[in-house]
């Protein structure tokens, strides 16, 4: 392990609440180390697209059995808007960046994994190997590929949503609901989401109201249920969100009515963060996710799917688990072929 790394570890690990600026310094130091080592190898056992919890957990599993991997990380993380990460046993409340650094400390002990902090823009199967192409013109070969590039949230779904996202407008009650305890919750969206979430956030809330945001999909049965449960229901389209310093204060509807709410549950539509799997020929589901044929296996031999791309439930712990599984499946296939 290099002197630079040891120095940063010694100042980072004892202090859990240091600013994220330190973490960026550490990432920079890793970039320097990569350059100093004469850049990356030309062939790896596994090419991992994504340096979030899924990709890093895959890398840890791979390095533990003596295989090599390159983690490609364009440094766009889904939970970047959240200062802290909840509901990860033993790491509850830690900054998401710090968790990634701790996983890298684990990986780096085995000296089998390199990092490329740049975007992969194309990927092809050439003979028995996969070839990944970076935005700077470099390329790298690998025997297997793990797609852990995550999904992106379409925050344009409501005006100003970006301003409150990850703080007072959230998608997952297990991630950030407790921090909004005692709030007046607006639960926004289609009935499958709002009716599911209403019962989950009720114990945390001062009040809950459902905002259909113009959806015509609320059935008579849904509306009867909402009425019986005495939940406030607003069918109109939301035209504005207002507040100060990322703290939501009110919602405006298309009829001009304003409702004071200081917390919002909403699940914006998501899409794949990259089309690399499509370029490889991976089949998609009708919802636009990668089709998983078995556990973490895609429809293309040698290509595995991990993290938010692989799971219905999106959380750091679940992403890590599927990453670890994808790493193990990739190594098992390589090991079997090379025995
Ligand atoms: C606002 C918010 C708050 C959240 N809070 C919590 C929480 O408190 N607790 C919790 O458990 N979960 C939380 N989540 C969910 C959690 O963030 C995700 O489930 C988790 O990050 C998924 O991990 P991942 O590795 O699959 O993807 P990501 O973390 O999104 O990582 C994707 C990686 O792929 C890289 N990438 C993408 N395309 C390319 C490319 N072409 N080339 C190279 N690299 C590429 C990105 O740079 C990144 O490194 C939150 C989500 C959001 C939106």
């Amino acid at each position: 392990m290099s002197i630079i790394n040891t120095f940063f570890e010694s100042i980072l690990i004892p202090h859990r609440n240091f600013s994220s600026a330190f973490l960026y310094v550490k990432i920079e130091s890793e970039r320097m180390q990569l350059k100093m080592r004469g850049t990356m190898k030309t062939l790896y056992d596994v090419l991992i697209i994504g340096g979030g919890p899924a990709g890093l957990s895959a890398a840890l599993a791979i390095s533990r059995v003596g295989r090599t991997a390159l983690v490609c990380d364009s440094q766009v993380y889904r939970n970047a808007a959240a200062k802290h990460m909840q509901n990860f046993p033993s790491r509850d409340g830690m900054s998401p960046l710090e968790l990634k650094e701790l996983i890298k400390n684990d990986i780096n002990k085995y000296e089998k994994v390199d990092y490329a902090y740049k975007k992969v823009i194309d990927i092809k199967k050439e003979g028995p190997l996969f070839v990944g192409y970076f935005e700077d013109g470099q390329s790298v070969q690998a025997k297997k590929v793990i797609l852990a590039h995550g999904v992106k949230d379409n925050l344009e779904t409501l005006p100003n949503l970006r301003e409150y996202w990850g703080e007072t407008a959230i998608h997952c009650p297990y991630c950030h609901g407790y921090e909004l305890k005692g709030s007046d919750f607006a639960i926004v969206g289609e009935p499958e989401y709002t009716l599911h979430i209403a019962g989950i956030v009720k114990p945390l809330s001062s009040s809950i109201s459902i905002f259909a945001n113009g959806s015509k999909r609320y059935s008579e049965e849904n509306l009867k249920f909402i009425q019986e449960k005495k939940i406030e229901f607003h069918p109109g389209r939301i035209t504005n969100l207002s507040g100060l310093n990322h703290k939501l204060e009110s919602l405006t509807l298309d009829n001009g009515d304003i409702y004071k709410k200081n917390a919002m549950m909403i699940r914006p539509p998501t899409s794949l963060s990259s089309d690399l799997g499509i370029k490889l020929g991976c089949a998609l589901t009708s919802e636009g996710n990668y089709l998983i044929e078995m556990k973490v296996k895609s429809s293309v031999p040698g290509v595995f799917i991990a993290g938010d791309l692989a799971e219905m439930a999106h959380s750091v712990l679940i992403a890590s688990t599927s990453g670890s599984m994808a790493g193990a499946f990739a190594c098992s296939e390589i090991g079997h072929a090379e025995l």
Side-chain angles (χ1 to χ4, degrees):
M1 198 166 294
S2 77
I3 293 169
I4 300 172
N5 217 22
T6 315
F7 168 71
F8 279 106
E9 271 160 16
S10 68
I11 59 169
L12 290 178
I13 290 181
H15 306 293
R16 285 271 150 87
N17 295 322
F18 52 81
S19 78
S20 54
F22 273 116
L23 291 165
Y24 282 114
V25 172
K26 181 155 192 296
I27 288 168
E28 279 307 312
S29 88
E30 280 174 355
R31 275 191 187 164
M32 276 165 48
Q33 287 171 45
L34 196 62
K35 279 189 188 147
M36 283 156 56
R37 279 209 305 265
T39 69
M40 56 206 184
K41 300 176 189 55
T42 49
L43 173 66
Y44 288 88
D45 286 314
V46 186
L47 183 64
I48 303 174
I49 317 283
L56 292 175
S57 302
L60 180 59
I62 291 163
S63 59
R64 292 265 313 141
V65 291
R67 294 281 174 194
T68 59
L70 180 69
V71 175
C72 309
D73 182 355
S74 58
Q75 298 185 81
V76 180
Y77 309 109
R78 187 169 176 214
N79 54 1
K83 293 193 191 82
H84 49 86
M85 173 203 70
Q86 309 291 158
N87 203 30
F88 191 108
S90 84
R91 299 288 182 269
D92 193 47
M94 180 179 271
S95 118
L97 279 177
E98 188 182 2
L99 179 77
K100 285 190 262 285
E101 292 311 308
L102 290 180
I103 304 175
K104 283 183 206 166
N105 288 336
D106 290 338
I107 294 169
N108 294 344
K109 286 187 289 195
Y110 304 102
E111 299 184 335
K112 286 285 176 189
V113 172
D114 290 329
Y115 305 89
Y117 292 102
K118 50 190 177 179
K119 191 171 179 181
V120 180
I121 54 165
D122 199 5
I123 191 160
K124 290 185 180 130
K125 184 89 195 278
E126 293 181 7
L129 297 175
F130 294 93
V131 186
Y133 297 88
F134 292 98
E135 54 193 347
D136 61 2
Q138 277 195 301
S139 64
V140 65
Q141 293 180 314
K143 298 170 193 167
K144 305 284 173 192
V145 170
I146 294 178
L147 296 174
H149 58 66
V151 299
K152 55 184 175 200
D153 299 284
N154 178 4
L155 299 181
E156 308 313 317
T157 193
L158 279 189
N160 297 334
L161 177 58
R162 194 174 293 281
E163 178 69 18
Y164 307 101
W165 182 241
E167 190 120 354
T168 47
I170 60 169
H171 72 303
C172 164
Y174 302 98
C175 298
H176 299 286
Y178 192 86
E179 285 62 41
L180 298 173
K181 202 169 164 215
S183 298
D184 293 309
F185 275 85
I187 307 175
V188 178
E190 302 293 340
E192 295 78 9
Y193 177 73
T194 57
L195 294 174
H196 166 68
I197 289 293
I200 299 173
V201 295
K202 197 172 174 204
L204 294 173
S205 65
S206 174
S207 70
I208 50 173
S209 312
I210 292 179
F211 288 78
N213 193 26
S215 169
K216 300 283 178 256
R217 296 195 41 255
Y218 283 80
S219 65
E220 278 188 20
E221 196 187 334
N222 292 151
L223 296 173
K224 189 164 166 261
F225 177 82
I226 290 168
Q227 201 177 20
E228 276 169 9
K229 298 293 172 193
K230 299 189 173 41
I231 300 172
E232 214 179 279
F233 179 75
H234 303 285
R237 206 165 47 78
I238 298 167
T239 54
N240 198 22
L241 304 180
S242 307
L244 204 60
N245 295 331
H246 313 297
K247 307 273 183 242
L248 180 69
E249 290 173 6
S250 65
L251 290 76
T252 307
L253 297 192
D254 50 2
N255 62 2
D257 287 351
I258 297 177
Y259 294 91
K260 285 197 174 306
K261 303 288 166 196
N262 51 2
M264 176 185 283
M265 297 295 314
I266 181 166
R267 188 173 59 190
T270 57
S271 54
L272 302 178
S273 290
S274 161
D275 62 357
L276 292 172
I278 297 170
K279 286 181 168 157
L280 280 170
C282 294
L284 299 181
T285 64
S286 54
E287 289 89 34
N289 302 317
Y290 291 126
L291 182 75
I292 310 282
E293 297 231 311
M294 205 268 282
K295 299 278 187 193
V296 288
K297 288 186 176 189
S298 77
S299 62
V300 174
V303 179
F304 302 87
I305 313 286
D308 281 357
L309 294 175
E311 304 290 340
M312 281 273 290
H314 292 174
S315 88
V316 174
L317 183 63
I318 295 170
S320 285
T321 306
S322 77
S324 186
M325 208 190 313
F329 269 68
C331 290
S332 152
E333 282 193 4
I334 298 170
H336 187 70
E338 294 182 355
L339 200 61

